[in-house]
Amino acid sequence: MACFVPFNSRNLEISLFAFRPMVVVVDELMEALKHFSLCTESLGCVHSAIFRSIHGNMIMWYGAWWKRSNENKDTLNATLLPMLGDVSRMAILIDHNFFDAYAGESRDGSPAAKFFTGDTISMGAVLLSRSNIDDLSYACLAIFRSRFAKMEGAVSGVCLKSQTLARTVSIFVWKSLQLCYSWILTSDRRSEVLPYLDKDQLSLDVKYDVFRVVYVSSDSAMRYQLNPSPKLLENGVEGRKVM
């Protein structure tokens, strides 16, 4: 099953957690993040995923949540951070935020950017020290619309805006890593962003990275169905699932 990023925030909102590993072998860290994903389901996380930077030293945790009030979101944040205890032994949490999706496109007409384990994803973030988030999001939307049709190999893309900062994030799902590289080598995101922004806006911070999707929450459900526990087998649950 696919994980997805919706093209609007009508029902869901997005959270992104960025980690910098402190260990060389990240297998245990990945398992801790997968466990974290499973625990968030009881808190209203519809689905989640883990992205690992292909060339850099960063791991992103993605979660799509049922919308909630700001007060409930503060309570959720206060609950989530202590749940990262095992992860904090192996990685530094360098950033986390909630985002609203406000635009997107897909080649097949889907209302969301869908991705599976093994897919290639590129993410670009724009942060201004002084800006109105609406002005920034309109500028990034104009850039997105002017570029997506020309991005050969991009399956879908979505624009996100931070709920607390003057920051936008764009996420693109690619047919292959090679096509993603081809686009990156022939484009200059910073020079494309600047013409859409007020010249008085200084301290423009543009970041870009390419990730491999290493886990989506549906993987755990599939593994559960394919490898049921001995106790379930004793109770005949496996047979009922097959039926």
Side-chain angles (χ1 to χ4, degrees):
M1 295 176 62
C3 192
F4 66 89
V5 187
F7 290 164
N8 62 67
S9 59
R10 187 177 301 111
N11 298 315
L12 298 177
E13 52 194 348
I14 306 304
S15 64
L16 292 173
F17 286 65
F19 298 92
R20 180 176 295 118
M22 298 185 293
V23 292
V24 176
V25 180
V26 299
D27 292 352
E28 188 178 351
L29 171 59
M30 290 298 179
E31 290 303 315
L33 284 172
K34 291 176 186 178
H35 179 71
F36 174 70
S37 288
L38 293 175
C39 292
T40 60
E41 292 178 5
S42 63
L43 299 175
C45 187
V46 179
H47 51 225
S48 56
I50 302 172
F51 311 146
R52 184 176 180 182
S53 174
I54 292 177
H55 299 289
N57 186 29
M58 182 180 292
I59 293 174
M60 300 288 295
W61 184 86
Y62 162 84
W65 305 79
W66 293 118
K67 286 188 71 70
R68 63 193 68 211
S69 66
N70 289 334
E71 181 179 350
N72 289 336
K73 199 173 304 167
D74 291 340
T75 302
L76 175 62
N77 269 323
T79 303
L80 287 175
L81 295 180
M83 290 169 57
L84 290 167
D86 289 342
V87 176
S88 64
R89 293 187 294 103
M90 297 171 280
I92 300 171
L93 177 62
I94 56 178
D95 194 15
H96 71 283
N97 214 320
F98 273 88
F99 295 83
D100 290 320
Y102 65 97
E105 291 188 37
S106 60
R107 303 297 185 195
D108 63 0
S110 299
K114 297 182 292 186
F115 53 87
F116 299 81
T117 299
D119 280 351
T120 298
I121 286 182
S122 64
M123 298 180 65
V126 179
L127 175 65
L128 290 178
S129 60
R130 298 186 286 111
S131 179
N132 180 297
I133 182 59
D134 290 331
D135 292 341
L136 178 59
S137 61
Y138 291 148
C140 290
L141 175 58
I143 297 166
F144 175 87
R145 287 178 171 168
S146 68
R147 300 173 81 207
F148 184 74
K150 298 178 289 186
M151 296 174 71
E152 181 181 355
V155 178
S156 56
V158 60
C159 298
L160 309 175
K161 60 181 179 181
S162 169
Q163 295 181 354
T164 57
L165 301 171
R167 174 189 293 169
T168 62
V169 173
S170 59
I171 299 176
F172 294 95
V173 182
W174 294 86
K175 290 181 180 179
S176 70
L177 180 60
Q178 290 72 23
L179 290 170
C180 178
Y181 283 159
S182 178
W183 171 256
I184 292 173
L185 292 173
T186 57
S187 63
D188 183 349
R189 184 171 178 82
R190 186 180 182 88
S191 65
E192 292 172 346
V193 170
L194 287 173
Y196 289 90
L197 298 174
D198 190 326
K199 293 181 180 180
D200 293 331
Q201 302 295 347
L202 304 177
S203 301
L204 174 67
D205 185 13
V206 179
K207 295 181 179 179
Y208 201 83
D209 207 344
V210 180
F211 297 85
R212 181 79 68 194
V213 181
V214 296
Y215 170 82
V216 297
S217 51
S218 58
D219 290 346
S220 294
M222 289 296 294
R223 186 164 62 248
Y224 171 82
Q225 293 177 15
L226 293 172
N227 300 290
S229 70
K231 190 171 184 60
L232 290 177
L233 289 172
E234 290 172 7
N235 294 333
V237 175
E238 181 187 22
R240 290 198 295 274
K241 283 184 178 294
V242 174
M243 294 297 290

